[in-house]
Amino acid sequence: MSNPKFKYAPISVFLFPFYNLACGILLCTDGDDSLYPIAVLIDELRNEDVQLRLNSIKKLSTIALALGVERTRTELLPFLTDTIYDEDEVLLALAEQLGNFTMLVGGPEYVHCLLPPLESLATVEETVVRDKAVESLRKISQEHSPVDLEVHFEPLVKRLASGDWFTSRTSACGLFSVCYPRVSSTVKAEIRQHFRTLCSDDTPMVRRAAASKLGEFAKVLELDYVKSDIISLFTALASDEQDSVRLLAVEACVSIATLLPQEDLETLVMPTLRQAAEDKSWRVRYMVADKFSELQKAVGPEITKNDLVPAFQNLLKDCEAEVRAAAANKVKEFCENLPEDSRETIIMTHILPCVKELVSDTNQHVKSALASVIMGLSTILGKDNTVEHLLPLFLAQLKDECPEVRLNIISNLDCVNEVIGIRQLSQSLLPAIVELAEDAKWRVRLAIIEYMPLLAGQLGVEFFDEKLNTLCMAWLIDHVYAIREAATCNLMKLVEKFGAEWAQNTIVPKVLGMANDPNYLHRMTTLFCINSLSEACGQEITTKQMLPVVLKMSNDQVANVRFNVAKSLQKIGPVLDSSALQTEVKPVLEKLATDTDMDVKYFAQEAISGEFSSINVLTE
């Protein structure tokens, strides 16, 4: 090798023939250094450093392009197949790369060349590597012709399905559905038999994999085979001794139910579904609750009325909090999907009593899940039922000790507003909000402040000014600093929501009025508010209304106020024009820079020579 950059020839060249690829590339460059990086990448595939191997694998497509399609098929792929014993992260990257290799091996005609390395990857111990290999196999299966699918791909699936190790059998479960629709009837029968075998495998991990793919496989089967094969497999998996298998069968139930005619559901699906809803394992019942809306749509209105309503009631009353939370989260969807002719009756008679119990549940996750959806019931039940039955529940949740419950109620006030109107809403719920806003515990007040921008957006600017504006301003002079700080941020968010004109007329005058407050902490709050509002209000309001107040406060008797003036001038500097900076700001900062207080001098000098480009003009 004459290339001066490649100064060594590793011994492994003789031990591992693949290194000859690197050497071959270098020898054929004829003085051209452009392929030298490719040779290095190839060399790094066998480097002892894991990171170097990983980097090289991630650039495998570059290596393949340099080698050409024929050498990629005959040399690169065999090498990769023979050396699948690397670190998991390297194998994961390899599995992902091979899924995009079709054109690099010569197109769909040669795509079967990618099967050997992916087959090996589909049998490794690490789950994420196997899953990625299966994902790539599913991807390239679509690029096989029907003939190649039977000649190359389907035998691979059979080998995996009958492998000695459970790892290969679990991988096979994800491949049946992609090849089944495009093979002959004889091969289809073999595939169905292999799947049946895996559903009753001795290893729970294999049965889990089969259960997770049962619904997907059912979708590509002919209806007769769904009834004759899939239903029996579904029943068996739903009765498996392992709850991890049974809960996956519940997921499959949704797909199976959508495939069957309505008249077959009662006999073929419902017995198993009823059994799952009362399963001894809470994890299975949780899965039923989590999939309840999908199940409801799949089985139709009649079965919903007769079977699912009682089952849903039981889930809402379940002894496990996780199950109750999952069911509570589906209350609105379940009620929306009920038959219109009997919806209100079912909700008022069967669902609402359970909901009332959940409002005072001992578990905060249950209450939070319910609070996130309960407001939606108002649009379903109408104004009268909302006022009589739901508002007391909203009020109770608004006063709940859990902040997430309160947030979920406030976040969805618009649903109730649409139904009962803003006046009714203000009379019923707003007093509770105001009460919380004035709570003796500062953390409760802080929580309400954080919800205020959201609440303002729900209620609108007119209602906000009438009912809540005074409250927001009162927070600015709270005796707790955290409240004053949060109130300042709250004003900024309100200005962003309602606009600069609203701020100029409503907020800014009140904020600036605090500059004359006898309490220096309140005067400092004025500066903090100006810092937050300047950008949202824009240059004109900041220059004409805010800046004069800040400059005047530079003569304050309290040093803390004066050095905060310096900090404020630095903060609002980017909003001001250069003329104001030179004629108004600069003289004040120079004066503060000679202040008797060391802190005032420090912050004034920092503002003058600060990093902000708009302030740097002062030094010119």
Side-chain angles (χ1 to χ4, degrees):
M1 290 182 288
S2 59
N3 194 319
K5 294 182 182 178
F6 201 89
K7 297 181 180 178
Y8 65 96
I11 296 176
S12 47
V13 169
F14 307 104
L15 298 177
F16 301 99
F18 184 64
Y19 267 117
N20 292 327
L21 287 176
C23 300
I25 284 182
L26 287 171
L27 289 171
C28 71
T29 59
D30 194 23
D32 180 9
D33 287 348
S34 63
L35 290 179
Y36 175 75
I38 304 299
V40 173
L41 284 176
I42 295 173
D43 193 45
E44 286 176 353
L45 283 172
R46 298 293 295 167
N47 196 289
E48 292 181 3
D49 188 327
V50 174
Q51 191 58 48
L52 288 176
R53 295 201 302 277
L54 182 61
N55 292 341
S56 191
I57 286 290
K58 287 181 177 178
K59 296 176 181 175
L60 208 55
S61 57
T62 306
I63 296 174
L65 280 170
L67 292 173
V69 294
E70 186 174 345
R71 294 193 74 188
T72 296
R73 293 197 302 267
T74 58
E75 297 177 58
L76 178 58
L77 291 180
F79 165 77
L80 295 173
T81 307
D82 293 341
T83 56
I84 294 180
Y85 57 84
D86 209 323
E87 299 288 336
D88 292 333
E89 57 184 331
V90 177
L91 297 182
L92 179 63
L94 176 59
E96 184 176 8
Q97 288 287 315
L98 290 175
N100 303 310
F101 245 57
T102 301
M103 299 314 297
L104 298 172
V105 295
E109 184 182 352
Y110 297 99
V111 72
H112 61 271
C113 296
L114 297 171
L115 297 181
L118 284 171
E119 181 177 357
S120 298
L121 289 166
T123 64
V124 301
E125 189 174 351
E126 179 54 49
T127 305
V128 292
V129 177
R130 293 201 309 272
D131 289 346
K132 185 58 71 173
V134 170
E135 183 184 320
S136 291
L137 282 167
R138 289 168 65 93
K139 187 176 182 180
I140 66 172
S141 70
Q142 306 304 318
E143 294 164 344
H144 282 72
S145 66
V147 174
D148 284 342
L149 203 64
E150 288 199 20
V151 173
H152 300 288
F153 196 88
E154 195 268 338
L156 174 148
V157 178
K158 288 181 181 177
R159 288 194 298 274
L160 291 174
S162 55
D164 293 334
W165 292 94
F166 80 90
T167 53
S168 68
R169 302 200 297 277
T170 56
S171 294
C173 295
L175 300 174
F176 291 115
S177 61
V178 294
C179 60
Y180 185 88
R182 300 171 59 209
V183 294
S184 63
S185 300
T186 307
V187 177
K188 283 182 177 180
E190 293 176 6
I191 291 174
R192 292 196 301 273
Q193 180 56 49
H194 278 294
F195 192 79
R196 277 195 297 271
T197 303
L198 293 179
C199 285
S200 56
D201 196 276
D202 293 336
T203 309
M205 285 81 83
V206 178
R207 298 200 302 277
R208 275 206 300 270
S212 69
K213 298 298 180 184
L214 182 64
E216 180 185 287
F217 189 48
K219 288 179 181 178
V220 299
L221 258 63
E222 299 80 0
L223 182 59
D224 289 343
Y225 291 121
V226 172
K227 293 181 181 180
S228 61
D229 289 19
I230 296 296
I231 293 298
S232 59
L233 296 176
F234 166 61
T235 305
L237 291 168
S239 306
D240 195 274
E241 61 182 17
Q242 298 281 331
D243 64 353
S244 59
V245 177
R246 299 200 300 274
L247 66 87
L248 289 169
V250 173
E251 284 197 69
C253 182
V254 177
S255 300
I256 294 169
T258 56
L259 297 171
L260 294 172
Q262 193 69 30
E263 59 270 17
D264 291 328
L265 289 173
E266 182 59 46
T267 54
L268 298 180
V269 173
M270 287 313 298
T272 307
L273 182 55
R274 291 189 199 102
Q275 173 187 315
E278 299 173 355
D279 197 277
K280 62 183 179 181
S281 169
W282 72 265
R283 296 205 297 162
V284 178
R285 300 196 305 276
Y286 172 88
M287 184 60 74
V288 174
D290 190 53
K291 299 291 179 183
F292 214 85
S293 299
E294 297 167 57
L295 290 167
Q296 181 187 9
K297 292 175 184 176
V299 300
E302 284 305 311
I303 292 178
T304 293
K305 283 194 288 186
N306 299 331
D307 287 279
L308 294 194
V309 170
F312 193 59
Q313 283 180 283
N314 291 334
L315 292 170
L316 289 171
K317 297 177 181 179
D318 198 273
C319 60
E320 292 290 339
E322 286 85 351
V323 179
R324 295 198 303 276
N329 206 36
K330 299 294 178 182
V331 164
K332 180 191 171 187
E333 277 186 75
F334 179 76
C335 293
E336 281 178 334
N337 295 328
L338 288 169
E340 281 190 36
D341 57 344
S342 56
R343 180 185 295 161
E344 186 175 330
T345 305
I346 292 174
I347 294 173
M348 299 302 296
T349 309
H350 300 288
I351 305 302
L352 198 58
C354 299
V355 168
K356 288 179 178 178
E357 290 181 22
L358 293 179
V359 167
S360 55
D361 197 276
T362 54
N363 186 283
Q364 72 176 47
H365 298 295
V366 176
K367 292 187 291 185
S368 179
L370 180 65
S372 67
V373 298
I374 191 174
M375 308 292 272
L377 293 179
S378 57
T379 56
I380 301 171
L381 291 176
K383 182 174 181 179
D384 294 339
N385 284 325
T386 297
V387 173
E388 183 179 352
H389 297 285
L390 294 181
L391 277 182
L393 302 182
F394 301 158
L395 195 59
Q397 290 183 302
L398 199 54
K399 294 180 178 180
D400 195 274
E401 61 183 12
C402 175
E404 193 173 346
V405 174
R406 299 196 299 268
L407 173 60
N408 285 341
I409 290 296
I410 290 176
S411 300
N412 294 285
L413 279 177
D414 57 333
C415 298
V416 185
N417 185 18
E418 290 173 11
V419 177
I420 67 174
I422 193 67
R423 293 297 164 190
Q424 178 76 51
L425 183 67
S426 65
Q427 290 170 14
S428 54
L429 295 184
L430 203 63
I433 295 173
V434 173
E435 184 183 335
L436 289 170
E438 297 171 343
D439 195 275
K441 296 178 181 177
W442 70 269
R443 285 185 174 84
V444 176
R445 301 199 300 277
L446 183 63
I448 291 297
I449 294 174
E450 290 169 353
Y451 305 150
M452 195 54 65
L454 181 65
L455 189 60
Q458 307 258 338
L459 300 177
V461 63
E462 290 181 13
F463 187 85
F464 178 83
D465 284 344
E466 181 185 343
K467 300 291 185 181
L468 298 174
N469 194 317
T470 305
L471 194 62
C472 289
M473 298 308 299
W475 282 324
L476 291 173
I477 55 173
D478 195 279
H479 65 277
V480 177
Y481 172 74
I483 299 296
R484 298 196 300 273
E485 183 182 38
T488 302
C489 295
N490 173 52
L491 286 186
M492 180 185 68
K493 292 174 182 176
L494 290 173
V495 172
E496 289 173 351
K497 193 173 291 288
F498 293 149
E501 185 178 348
W502 171 82
Q504 184 176 14
N505 297 328
T506 310
I507 295 295
V508 173
K510 295 178 181 178
V511 168
L512 298 182
M514 290 168 53
N516 300 316
D517 195 289
N519 189 325
Y520 85 94
L521 294 174
H522 299 168
R523 298 200 298 275
M524 284 173 58
T525 302
T526 298
L527 294 172
F528 299 151
C529 288
I530 290 172
N531 294 347
S532 296
L533 296 176
S534 59
E535 188 173 347
C537 289
Q539 187 180 88
E540 184 177 352
I541 296 174
T542 302
T543 304
K544 292 182 178 179
Q545 292 183 255
M546 297 182 186
L547 181 59
V549 174
V550 177
L551 298 176
K552 182 181 176 182
M553 292 176 73
S554 66
N555 297 316
D556 198 281
Q557 292 181 346
V558 179
N560 282 26
V561 175
R562 295 199 302 277
F563 79 62
N564 273 290
V565 167
K567 292 170 73 173
S568 290
L569 290 173
Q570 183 174 10
K571 176 70 177 177
I572 69 175
V575 182
L576 303 172
D577 59 36
S578 57
S579 173
L581 288 170
Q582 286 284 3
T583 60
E584 298 182 67
V585 175
K586 181 180 179 181
V588 171
L589 283 176
E590 288 176 342
K591 174 189 161 189
L592 291 174
T594 61
D595 197 277
T596 54
D597 186 273
M598 294 299 295
D599 291 328
V600 177
K601 288 172 65 175
Y602 169 79
F603 285 109
Q605 289 166 357
E606 187 182 68
I608 292 173
S609 60
E611 297 176 1
F612 295 97
S613 58
S614 59
I615 298 296
N616 286 342
V617 72
L618 298 178
T619 62
E620 294 176 0

